[in-house]
Amino acid sequence: MEDKLYTTTSFRKSLGLFILICISFAFLQTIQAQQQNSSIHGRILNESGQPVPFANVYLKDQDKGELTNEEGFFSIDKLSSGDYLLVVSHLGFAKREIKIKLSDGQTLKIPDFKLRENNSDLQEFTVTDSKVNPMANKRTDYVARMPLDNLENPQVYNVVTKELMQEQVITDVGETMRNAPGVVPVVYPSGGFGTTFRGFNIGINARNGMETTTGRSSVDIANVERIEVLKGPSGTLFGGNVSSFGGVINLVTKKPEEANKTEVSYTTGSYNLQRITADINKPLNKDNTVLFRLNAAVHKEKSFLDYGFYDTYLISPSLLYKASNRLTFTLDVEFLNVNSTRNLYNRYAPESGITGPEDLKLDYRKALFHHDADAQTSSTKIFAKAKYRLSENWTSTTLLSFVGEEVDHSYQYYATWLSPTMAARNSGNWNSIYNNYTNIQENINGEFATRNIKHKVLIGISYRLFQSRSESGSTNNIDTVDVTKAFLPLRRQDIDPLLVSGHWPGWNTVNTHTLSGYATDVISWTDRLSTMLSLRVDYFDRKEQGGAEGFQQTALSPKLGVVYQVVKDQVSVFGNYMNGFQNQAPRMQPDGSQLVLDPVYAVQSEGGIKTEVFDKRLSATFSYYHISIDNAIRMNTDGFALQDGEQVSKGFDIELIANPIPGLNVIAGYAYNDNRIVKTSNESIEGNKATDAPEDIVNFWVSYTMQHKLKGLGFGFGGNYVDKSYMFSDNIFTIPAYTVLNASAFYDQPKWRAGVKLNNLTNEKYWAIWGVPQAPTNFAANLTLRF
């Protein structure tokens, strides 16, 4: 299979494009005058000699600035010779300035200097990078597993920040994800959360760069600092278990800080929404070497249907221990408990004549099942990190994560529509299920130079153990109802006597082992031209257990990228070739049989442009991509999985983030995707659209916050457009396109914040992917107190 991968037409075209871009950029660079580069680096400490993370370090009156890392280090590169005024500031510390003078090609190391604590600043000072719009801050160590600026990265990624979530009074992860271009949220019939973008389904499978899952227990955003959406198959750095062919979603959690602060929030709204969250941060000793943070949430909400609810509680403590100036330990734990009802999953008989959910005669707000047939699930997530600075330029990071999902019971609902008025009701109860994911990872990051060529290097190895057990399940057809006449929702007491319990074929205990090694070298040939060379090797091993087929698979996943800064630190063009790989376990079919699947490969070629101009007040990205898949898997109308063809997904993404004047923020995105079945054994569907793949998707949000009179008072307006999509590969059953508009008002003060948001202003009747009806006009109101 590996030989086949490397001889594909897509690879040859991608490699040719890559080489052509490299030669072109190199030629452009050689005709330019070579310039000497200067740089400044150093470390910021507090009065106790401990590092100050996330301090704002910038050159006054210059478009240059950085935030210190967790060890207090900063580096400002690509400077011309001259005199500068270096400014350092941080919440709770007095601002400090230092005059410096740089010569051509000089690397100036500033001696460690300390910031003096200034508690009076706590009420008024806001931590921001003066040159970075908080809504546009894409600084991250997770996307490339190394510190790499957006303009230096040949991959497209979007970031949804906590500031944006706050403006929109968001209480669930689905609405959060709508702020990323091309992303559409999905709630699975099993209760888990996922999304679709670039034509493929993907859950939130990464948490702080490590594997996680939301397949059955969903996620609460109370502990979310930001969400990063990586576009394109990212198997090289994240592996096929975390990445889909559309990309990766990485959830970044809140970390302990040195400030002593508490924030309590209450949200109420439509459908008896009641939500309380708390964020408590406290240093545990005087020298701030032990930091503690606790995030917690309780959420209760009824469905807009006549039956249904969603109740959760979250407890998430985290601890940071600075053992020395070189060694830091981080531990965070998350417990999430969810008690809820599931979404109704509809099936359609071929003779029903139904071509879309709007054909159904069921009242839009009426449920077929009672909410006492509920589900109880929980998840435990543990993340530990030891970061050791080997030297000034080399760092070792050891990571351990455990994610466990458990299902106590889960009533899942199905309706087979025989006609627009007649529905055959069916329910199953899945119980005694657990999925455990254990990951151990070691990463070595470093920087070095060979003459004038600079290298940023990552070398990593990881081991993954996946344990799954599904002891029993039960399902049965119950009755058939005419939804135009009076009927009662089915209760648990109606369902239980008719269920047939027993082991599902292949649903016993299964253990899968994965051993991986990967490496990346980002080579800066000049101050404008860089290339990324990455490679990953994965070995999968699953023994035959309890009737489940065993299999072993070795995958080789390369990644190539090139970046050329047309205007240094402002405009860059990029190209990439990325590979994705997914091993496929045998799949249970509706008739109880198993389909043994081959591995699936995806290859992406992409090119585009990124800009950060006008003192970073305007950030924009445009990219065109082409993803080809061999051995594509599809679902037919009977719910059977088939692996019989080739698939091509192509399109472009546009993102715009602007802060044209103080207080005014504009966020907009447009994504076009054409995902089609190119080849299959069923010739009648060749050329058809892939399922769950809307063609056009638009998102936008505009807000303004008063800067002088009534400072802190703000208003926001935005919405989403999602094109039609198909539920099955025959392209008959259509989920209609929809447009949803929202508006908010908020008043933000140092000690408190109040906000209100109206969702679905036009009362649009619309359905999510898989034909799930969505809420009509509703509101949420929030009050936050800060101590």
Side-chain angles (χ1 to χ4, degrees), residues 354-498:
I354 299 171
T355 60
E358 70 274 24
D359 293 342
L360 302 180
K361 300 306 179 182
L362 178 67
D363 187 291
Y364 188 75
R365 302 183 66 162
K366 193 167 184 61
L368 292 177
F369 293 82
H370 196 278
H371 55 227
D372 69 353
D374 63 352
Q376 184 78 46
T377 63
S378 62
S379 66
T380 301
K381 301 177 182 180
I382 302 172
F383 175 84
K385 179 174 72 172
K387 191 169 185 178
Y388 183 71
R389 185 166 58 88
L390 301 169
S391 66
E392 184 175 344
N393 294 322
W394 291 88
T395 302
S396 166
T397 306
T398 305
L399 302 133
L400 170 66
S401 75
F402 170 82
V403 177
E405 283 188 315
E406 293 195 29
V407 179
D408 179 80
H409 64 274
S410 178
Y411 285 86
Q412 295 173 206
Y413 319 133
Y414 303 89
T416 300
W417 290 89
L418 309 177
S419 72
T421 62
M422 301 298 294
R425 293 189 288 189
N426 175 296
S427 177
N429 179 17
W430 282 258
N431 54 73
S432 299
I433 297 173
Y434 75 68
N435 294 312
N436 290 345
Y437 305 80
T438 303
N439 284 265
I440 303 172
Q441 193 174 105
E442 171 63 27
N443 293 320
I444 302 294
N445 289 90
E447 298 184 21
F448 66 93
T450 54
R451 294 188 177 182
N452 294 326
I453 300 174
K454 298 180 180 179
H455 299 259
K456 289 184 178 179
V457 175
L458 163 69
I459 301 172
I461 186 169
S462 68
Y463 169 75
R464 171 188 186 261
L465 171 62
F466 169 57
Q467 299 170 296
S468 175
R469 185 186 71 186
S470 301
E471 286 192 346
S472 62
S474 49
T475 184
N476 209 334
N477 291 322
I478 300 171
D479 64 5
T480 300
V481 295
D482 184 342
V483 297
T484 62
K485 299 179 181 178
F487 67 89
L488 294 176
L490 286 175
R491 305 182 70 109
R492 182 185 294 198
Q493 64 190 33
D494 304 317
I495 299 170
D496 286 347
L498 299 176

Side-chain angles (χ1 to χ4, degrees), residues 701-720:
W701 182 257
V702 180
S703 66
Y704 179 72
T705 304
M706 307 283 283
Q707 299 297 295
H708 301 293
K709 291 184 178 179
L710 297 176
K711 183 178 180 180
L713 178 63
F715 304 90
F717 176 76
N720 300 85

Side-chain angles (χ1 to χ4, degrees), residues 108-176:
L108 178 61
K109 181 178 180 180
I110 298 177
D112 293 349
F113 65 98
K114 300 178 180 180
L115 295 181
R116 180 173 56 84
E117 292 188 12
N118 182 6
N119 293 330
S120 63
D121 286 345
L122 291 176
Q123 302 303 324
E124 299 296 337
F125 188 79
T126 302
V127 179
T128 60
D129 181 340
S130 62
K131 297 297 182 181
V132 180
N133 174 10
M135 304 267 189
N137 186 2
K138 289 193 172 184
R139 184 177 178 86
T140 173
D141 291 341
Y142 297 109
V143 171
R145 294 197 186 278
M146 63 170 62
L148 204 63
D149 290 337
N150 178 41
L151 294 181
E152 299 176 304
N153 197 324
Q155 184 167 5
V156 173
Y157 62 97
N158 313 118
V159 175
V160 182
T161 66
K162 64 178 180 181
E163 289 84 4
L164 183 56
M165 297 182 223
Q166 193 175 49
E167 271 196 7
Q168 296 181 350
V169 196
I170 289 176
T171 61
D172 71 273
V173 70
E175 291 305 305
T176 303

Side-chain angles (χ1 to χ4, degrees), residues 521-553:
D521 187 5
V522 177
I523 308 171
S524 298
W525 303 97
T526 71
D527 63 340
R528 297 192 182 194
L529 176 65
S530 65
T531 56
M532 174 184 284
L533 308 175
S534 302
L535 184 66
R536 182 188 188 97
V537 178
D538 278 4
Y539 174 71
F540 302 87
D541 181 18
R542 196 186 84 179
K543 306 299 182 184
E544 181 179 355
Q545 294 171 296
E549 296 284 342
F551 64 97
Q552 293 78 42
Q553 179 68 44

Side-chain angles (χ1 to χ4, degrees), residues 13 34 65 102 111 117 129 291 374 483 501 533 597 676 697:
K13 289 181 178 179
Q34 295 296 317
L102 284 176
E117 292 188 12
D129 181 340
L291 309 176
D374 63 352
V483 297
S501 299
L533 308 175
L597 299 168
R676 294 186 182 271
I697 301 172

